[in-house]
Amino acid sequence: MPLSDVKARNAKPRVRRYKITDAEGLYLLVTPAGGKYWRLKYFFEGKEKLLALGIYPNVSLAEARDGQRRAQANLAAGKDPNDLKRDTKLQASATRANTFGAVATEWFEHKKHRWSSATITVIDGRLKTYLLPKLGPRPVSEITAAEVLAIIRPVEAKGTLETARRLRQICGQVFRYAIVTGKAERNPVPDLKDALKTPVAKHYAFLRAKDLPEFLQKLKAYDGDIYTKLALEALLLTFVRTGELRGATWAEIDWEMAEWRIPAERMKMKELHIVPLSRQGLVVLRELQKHSGAGSFLFPNRQNPLRPMSENTMLYALYRMGYHSRATSHGFRSTASTILNEHAFRPDVIERQLAHADRDSVRAAYNHAQYIIERREMMQWWADYLDRAVTLGNPIETS
């Protein structure tokens, strides 16, 4: 007599497990613990086998019979239902491993050791906020350019073009990683090249040679916080990135060699950077040492000395000096680069001192001392140039 749903539901556990048969090999196995499991007995190539079809009541009697019919159809076609079930599980497992979310996570973990903590936070946030909610579950090999565009377009519509560009960049890197790891054959992101607006390049306002005398006089007369004044002086003399200066520690200063050695983990390009210190630069540090030498940071935060100076401190000081929209602290790099190039210093030497990217990553790992003699001479010339600007008011004619 065929099994009914009522009979299956009312089946009680016994001391030993037992079967309640349905028809054509299908039965319900009831265990002493009360579990109820659908099983199908069948023969393949002369051997008796069992196929698990699920657990009652999660799988109903009707669903179990559907599974039975599919298995019988496969048997009629000469296919073992258990082999097909195993292959389906393997394929599903591979699909889960090859989703955009899985590949993006793998790419993120593979790359993050090269990034700063701030970069890690930003990229992780963009993945979780914009990309993973919709692309995460999708097989990376099936995602189209249109799907990526549908995610980036609303960001672009808000006017945040740089964020949209960064999202496109992240997607492209994830797809390239998928290709090299054998999880995809094509990167759809290049197809978006003409579909998105291009953000206007951001140029930091910077001082020209003719602006330096007035600026240096104002800086000399600056009556604000001593840390801020000395930070601006040090930044102008060294033209490092503002984050590199703010995070400077006394342990990085080599007084004997007159060098500031910034460790790789604090540099944008993740390689040690040497800043030769001019006589004027050492004077600034000696003055600074009177104020913060007992701590770790050269420029500690006033509210919390265990943290560095706030990232906007120097910028706001420039505003106070009357340089809003006329100069930025990051722009000191452009000021130095422009003037040094105009005075015929070798571009390679200037670029190395600016710690710009080296396209040869192998060579870059060993060139932190590259051109060091020329760089020392250049940094001292630059400090002398600034002295002439503040005292004579016309550095170009007296250089």
Side-chain angles (χ1 to χ4, degrees):
M1 181 177 179
L3 181 61
S4 68
D5 186 68
V6 173
K7 192 172 182 180
R9 185 169 60 252
N10 293 333
K12 303 299 182 185
R14 300 175 184 173
V15 176
R16 297 178 181 276
R17 63 182 186 173
Y18 65 97
K19 306 173 185 177
I20 305 176
T21 61
D22 184 48
E24 299 180 6
L26 179 65
Y27 63 85
L28 187 67
L29 178 65
V30 184
T31 69
K36 300 174 182 181
Y37 303 89
W38 293 114
R39 295 290 184 265
L40 176 67
K41 182 174 72 172
Y42 67 96
F43 290 87
F44 185 77
E45 296 181 346
K47 296 181 181 179
E48 181 180 310
K49 294 190 173 186
L50 284 178
L51 177 66
L53 293 175
I55 303 173
Y56 181 87
N58 294 336
V59 175
S60 68
L61 174 59
E63 290 170 330
R65 286 172 175 166
D66 284 342
Q68 176 195 42
R69 283 190 287 273
R70 287 193 298 270
Q72 289 172 338
N74 287 323
L75 285 168
K79 300 174 183 177
D80 187 341
N82 269 305
D83 289 346
L84 294 174
K85 182 179 180 181
R86 182 191 63 243
D87 292 344
T88 300
K89 284 185 176 180
L90 289 174
Q91 184 176 2
S93 177
T95 299
R96 286 192 298 273
N98 294 343
T99 61
F100 182 90
V103 175
T105 300
E106 188 177 326
W107 165 79
F108 182 83
E109 293 298 323
H110 180 70
K111 291 287 188 179
K112 71 177 185 180
H113 73 282
R114 302 179 59 188
W115 301 332
S116 67
S117 57
T119 299
I120 290 173
T121 300
V122 169
I123 293 180
D124 183 55
R126 285 171 176 160
L127 281 168
K128 291 178 178 176
T129 302
Y130 300 104
L131 303 177
L132 296 185
K134 292 187 177 179
L135 293 183
R138 296 276 290 122
V140 69
S141 61
E142 297 179 9
I143 295 173
T144 65
E147 289 180 83
V148 178
L149 181 62
I151 290 172
I152 300 179
R153 186 72 86 195
V155 179
E156 179 190 62
K158 294 179 181 178
T160 50
L161 301 186
E162 181 60 22
T163 299
R165 186 182 75 84
R166 294 292 184 180
L167 291 176
R168 177 177 176 270
Q169 184 182 65
I170 291 172
C171 283
Q173 291 183 22
V174 172
F175 282 113
R176 286 197 294 274
Y177 184 78
I179 290 171
V180 299
T181 54
K183 296 170 183 176
E185 295 182 356
R186 185 177 180 278
N187 177 4
V189 172
D191 294 343
L192 302 179
K193 181 179 179 180
D194 297 323
L196 294 169
K197 296 178 182 177
T198 303
V200 178
K202 180 180 180 181
H203 298 289
Y204 293 96
F206 68 98
L207 300 167
R208 309 289 177 174
K210 63 182 179 61
D211 303 318
L212 282 173
E214 179 186 14
F215 173 79
L216 291 168
Q217 289 290 349
K218 288 186 175 181
L219 180 58
K220 186 177 180 180
Y222 183 75
D223 60 356
D225 187 273
I226 186 63
Y227 285 160
T228 306
K229 179 179 181 179
L230 292 173
L232 287 170
E233 290 180 359
L235 193 65
L236 190 57
L237 285 165
T238 59
F239 49 88
V240 295
R241 298 176 179 90
T242 53
E244 293 157 7
L245 183 79
R246 289 172 43 246
T249 65
W250 288 110
E252 296 171 3
I253 306 300
D254 187 330
W255 296 102
E256 184 176 350
M257 293 296 294
E259 290 177 351
W260 172 20
R261 302 175 71 89
I262 309 176
E265 59 268 21
R266 290 211 309 107
M267 293 298 298
K268 182 178 181 180
M269 304 315 299
K270 298 304 177 186
E271 59 176 276
L272 171 68
H273 182 53
I274 298 175
V275 181
L277 297 170
S278 62
R279 294 186 300 273
Q280 293 89 331
L282 289 170
V283 169
V284 171
L285 292 186
R286 289 297 185 192
E287 177 62 26
L288 184 63
Q289 197 175 37
K290 299 175 186 177
H291 302 276
S292 64
S296 174
F297 290 107
L298 272 69
F299 302 99
N301 187 294
R302 282 296 193 184
Q303 279 69 46
N304 182 0
L306 298 180
R307 299 183 61 187
M309 174 185 287
S310 168
E311 62 181 328
N312 288 321
T313 299
M314 287 181 280
L315 183 62
Y316 291 156
L318 291 175
Y319 291 171
R320 182 182 174 191
M321 292 166 61
Y323 285 89
H324 196 299
S325 302
R326 295 173 58 198
T328 64
S329 48
H330 190 88
F332 289 174
R333 291 167 59 79
S334 296
T335 298
S337 176
T338 300
I339 295 173
L340 290 171
N341 274 288
E342 288 173 348
H343 285 76
F345 283 93
R346 289 205 298 138
D348 285 351
V349 177
I350 299 171
E351 291 298 293
R352 191 66 198 89
Q353 195 55 54
L354 287 165
H356 282 162
D358 192 319
R359 293 186 180 276
D360 184 343
S361 60
V362 175
R363 181 161 59 91
Y366 299 97
N367 70 356
H368 51 263
Q370 190 178 33
Y371 312 129
I372 193 64
I373 295 176
E374 289 178 83
R375 285 158 58 192
R376 289 187 194 283
E377 294 173 353
M378 182 180 72
M379 296 300 280
Q380 187 57 57
W381 182 94
W382 173 244
D384 293 340
Y385 176 93
L386 294 175
D387 277 352
R388 291 195 299 273
V390 74
T391 58
L392 301 178
N394 197 337
I396 295 179
E397 293 183 1
T398 58
S399 59

